[in-house]
């Protein structure tokens, strides 16, 4: 578990309606968080068995969840990166419990800092030879620049069928799990 995931689960549970597991315990010495067991199946495993109507219903539900995340309004909304414990309203946990967040991925002091970080990482990545790429890319390679025109919104950042659980029971609730990489990033 990561401190950011704990914060996001607490904020979403206390201030949102996106179904997330309830946090039971945190064991920082083992980097472990304990959450409720969600009775259901991982969407990635049952997707082939779901009817077209069921898939449409899941897509509609997921769209509503993403819209809710984009509307989330807490003080950090203007600060890109993972949630900062000091800015989460009425949090149960204190910053001392978490220690420092990973500075390489934020939170950033401003949108401009995120843009500079992204552009630097992109340049370094694309100009460094790897086993996947042949030697250095061509000098004519156009490196895409960060587009800072999008608003900052709460983002899961790993929203895929492995991180969605279709609950058992009549309602078949769509649960979203694994919020480790979430934070406030461009839409």
């Amino acid at each position: 578990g990561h401190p950011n995931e704990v914060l996001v689960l607490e904020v979403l549970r206390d201030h949102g309606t996106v179904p997330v597991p309830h946090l039971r315990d945190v064991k920082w010495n083992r980097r472990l968080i304990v959450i409720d067991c969600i009775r259901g199946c991982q969407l990635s495993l049952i997707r082939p068995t779901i009817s077209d109507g069921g898939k449409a219903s899941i897509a509609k539900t997921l769209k509503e969840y993403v819209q809710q995340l984009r509307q989330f309004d807490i003080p950090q909304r203007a600060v890109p990166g993972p949630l900062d414990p000091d800015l989460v309203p009425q949090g149960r946990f204190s910053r001392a419990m978490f220690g420092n967040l990973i500075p390489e991925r934020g939170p950033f002091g401003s949108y401009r800092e995120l843009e500079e970080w992204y552009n630097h990482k992109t340049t370094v990545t694309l100009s460094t030879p790897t086993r996947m790429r042949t030697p250095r890319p061509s000098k004519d390679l156009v490196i895409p620049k960060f587009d800072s025109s999008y608003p900052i919104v709460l983002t899961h950042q790993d929203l895929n069928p492995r991180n969605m659980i279709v609950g058992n029971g009549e309602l078949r609730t769509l649960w979203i799990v694994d919020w480790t990489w979430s934070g406030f990033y461009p839409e």
Side-chain angles (χ1 to χ4, degrees):
H2 188 276
N4 187 61
E5 184 170 18
V6 171
L7 284 170
V8 172
L9 288 174
E10 288 290 303
V11 167
L12 288 173
R13 194 195 77 224
D14 292 345
H15 304 284
T17 61
V18 174
V20 296
H22 182 76
L23 183 65
R24 294 292 176 184
D25 196 7
V26 179
K27 304 205 181 303
W28 293 120
N29 58 334
R30 293 176 35 206
R31 293 190 53 86
L32 175 73
I33 63 173
V34 179
I35 58 173
D36 280 344
C37 176
I38 300 171
R39 306 261 182 232
C41 294
Q42 198 177 57
L43 181 58
S44 62
L45 300 176
I46 63 170
R47 187 173 38 190
T49 67
I50 299 174
S51 69
D52 288 344
K55 289 176 183 173
S57 177
I58 289 170
K60 180 178 182 264
T61 300
L62 191 56
K63 180 180 177 183
E64 291 167 2
Y65 292 173
V66 170
Q67 287 172 337
Q68 183 183 145
L69 293 177
R70 289 180 175 178
Q71 298 304 312
F72 234 81
D73 195 20
I74 66 172
Q76 186 180 339
R77 188 181 175 112
V79 181
L83 268 67
D84 183 340
D86 289 339
L87 297 175
V88 175
Q90 308 302 323
R92 266 190 353 199
F93 303 103
S94 69
R95 185 173 184 77
M97 182 177 187
F98 294 116
N100 295 325
L101 292 175
I102 301 169
E104 291 82 28
R105 67 179 191 104
F108 298 92
S110 66
Y111 207 143
R112 179 81 179 135
E113 279 186 26
L114 171 62
E115 180 180 359
E116 289 170 0
W117 174 85
Y118 175 86
N119 288 335
H120 171 74
K121 291 291 187 183
T122 302
T123 300
V124 168
T125 300
L126 292 178
S127 62
T128 304
T130 69
R131 290 188 328 195
M132 300 298 286
R133 264 192 314 271
T134 53
R136 295 198 180 273
S138 162
K139 291 183 182 192
D140 299 328
L141 177 69
V142 176
I143 298 175
K145 292 295 181 188
F146 187 84
D147 182 352
S148 59
S149 66
Y150 293 96
I152 300 289
V153 296
L154 183 57
T155 307
H156 182 278
Q157 294 228 112
D158 193 16
L159 205 52
N160 68 75
R162 288 184 328 273
N163 290 330
M164 298 176 204
I165 298 176
V166 178
N168 291 344
E170 251 179 75
L171 296 179
R172 309 278 292 172
T173 301
L174 182 63
W175 295 81
I176 307 297
V177 297
D178 192 1
W179 292 83
T180 302
W181 298 107
S182 62
F184 284 91
Y185 296 97
E187 184 176 61

